[in-house]
Amino acid sequence: MIDVLIDITLLAFLAITSIAILRMTNLFATVMLYGIFSLLSAGLFVVMDAPDVAFTEAAVGAGISTVLMLATLALVKRPQRPFYEEAPRTHRAWLPLVVVVVTGSALIYGTWDIPGFGAADAPAQTHVARYYIDNAMPETGVPNVVTAVLASYRGFDTLGEVTVIFTAAVAVLLLIGGRRSVKADKSKTQEKQDEA
Amino acid sequence: MRPNLILHVVAKFVIPLIILFALYVQFHGDFGPGGGFQAGVIFSAAFILYSLVFGLDRAEKIIPARWLRILAALGVVIYAGVGIESMILGGNYLDYSLLGSNQIAGQHLGILLVELGVGITVAAAMLILFFTFAGRGRS
């Protein structure tokens, strides 16, 4: 009973946050709402007994990405008004509504076939999950099955993930890292002088 | 009086706790929730807090950018190195069972080292991202 109440409260807040993000024009407030959205999702993961995922979502989604987005915002110096003109409307207002309602109904129809949450006969539970739960402890001696799967059984995947993060750092360094050299600045001012 | 005195005092009190918690998450990941990814992010959060409160220049003095590049690569090297070590010992790539005296000990050592590599790379990469983004506005 209490679980259902918490679920409904968190999902309601998620919906409210998403609508607020859609309607918000202030970029700073939008970034803050993104952080709140991540934190709410983390809470939802805790309710669904996935503390590892919740941990990551809270640390990366609510923490680091908010800081990075704020740093980017400080760089681009948000303008007072949107710097684009609203395009002239080419369709009636009911057209997007119909598209959304049809897509939404199709998605809800799709959920009818999904097995119930935590159902024992769901394909996700009957394939390799049983093997991991039975053998992770005797084979690796690690009580946390998530760690055993992540680091040992699926160690090669995790190596790939680490490489992705390393690549991201390298890409950021190559793209915007390093100070602009004095020479480049000089040639730019010269160009300006030439134009003048 | 210095500006933001309360912020400075509270940050100095909180940062060691954050680092301690990151180390706990890193090395207790075998038993509870957590592991290298989360620990790396929490560890970098401590330094991001420091640089937000005390300024980017002082933070870069503690961890120079050159070190961060080396550390980010070092984590991947540790991870891939564990795999190569297990190949040298006669097993498959990233099969930790041969690293220790028996299978359990080997798996335990392998998972610990691999998670350490993950933590180092994630922490260094997050700090590189933050320092690069935040430092770009400076002349």
Side-chain angles (χ1 to χ4, degrees), chain A residues 151-183:
Chain A
S152 184
Y153 291 110
R154 302 259 168 207
F156 201 69
D157 293 3
T158 312
L159 177 62
E161 285 170 34
V162 175
T163 316
V164 165
I165 291 175
F166 176 68
T167 314
V170 171
V172 166
L173 273 178
L174 283 177
L175 282 174
I176 65 172
R179 310 266 154 75
R180 205 175 291 154
S181 66
V182 184
K183 213 173 160 188

Side-chain angles (χ1 to χ4, degrees), chain A residues 14 16 25 39 59-60 71 81 108 136 138 150 175 180 182:
Chain A
L14 270 184
I16 293 169
T25 50
L39 205 60
V60 179
R81 278 168 299 161
I108 291 173
L150 200 79
L175 282 174
R180 205 175 291 154
V182 184

Side-chain angles (χ1 to χ4, degrees), chain A residues 20-94:
Chain A
I21 290 173
L22 280 180
R23 303 195 63 84
M24 195 73 70
T25 50
N26 186 338
L27 285 180
F28 181 77
T30 310
V31 170
M32 284 299 146
L33 282 173
Y34 278 148
I36 292 172
F37 190 90
S38 284
L39 205 60
L40 286 171
S41 321
L44 214 53
F45 291 141
V46 172
V47 176
M48 292 193 288
D49 291 328
D52 283 273
V53 187
F55 213 154
T56 317
E57 181 63 41
V60 179
I64 294 286
S65 21
T66 309
V67 171
L68 284 182
M69 277 198 263
L70 285 179
T72 314
L73 212 56
L75 277 185
V76 297
K77 305 230 172 37
R78 78 200 142 91
Q80 291 296 314
R81 278 168 299 161
F83 43 76
Y84 54 87
E85 296 291 322
E86 190 120 344
R89 190 175 277 178
T90 53
H91 53 75
R92 297 280 168 78
W94 51 262

Side-chain angles (χ1 to χ4, degrees), chain B residues 10-11 14-15 18 44-55 130:
Chain B
V10 171
V14 169
I15 286 169
I18 298 177
S44 66
F47 284 96
I48 289 176
L49 176 65
Y50 184 88
S51 63
L52 286 178
V53 174
F54 294 96
F130 175 74

Side-chain angles (χ1 to χ4, degrees), chain A residues 52 55-56 59 64 67 72 75 138-139 141-144 147 151-152 155-156 158-159 161-162 165-166 172-173 176-177 179, chain B residues 25 29-34 37-38 41 72-73 79 93 96 103-104 107 115 118 125 128-130 132-133 136-138:
Chain A
D52 283 273
F55 213 154
T56 317
I64 294 286
V67 171
T72 314
L75 277 185
E139 277 184 7
V142 170
N144 185 354
T147 303
S152 184
F156 201 69
T158 312
L159 177 62
E161 285 170 34
V162 175
I165 291 175
F166 176 68
V172 166
L173 273 178
I176 65 172
R179 310 266 154 75
Chain B
V25 170
D30 305 1
F31 304 98
F37 281 99
Q38 294 91 334
V41 172
Y79 201 136
Y93 189 67
Y96 317 130
Q103 190 187 356
I104 298 285
Q107 289 283 343
E115 292 274 9
V118 172
I128 287 175
L129 291 188
F130 175 74
T132 323
F133 271 85
R136 190 156 162 80
R138 295 179 305 181

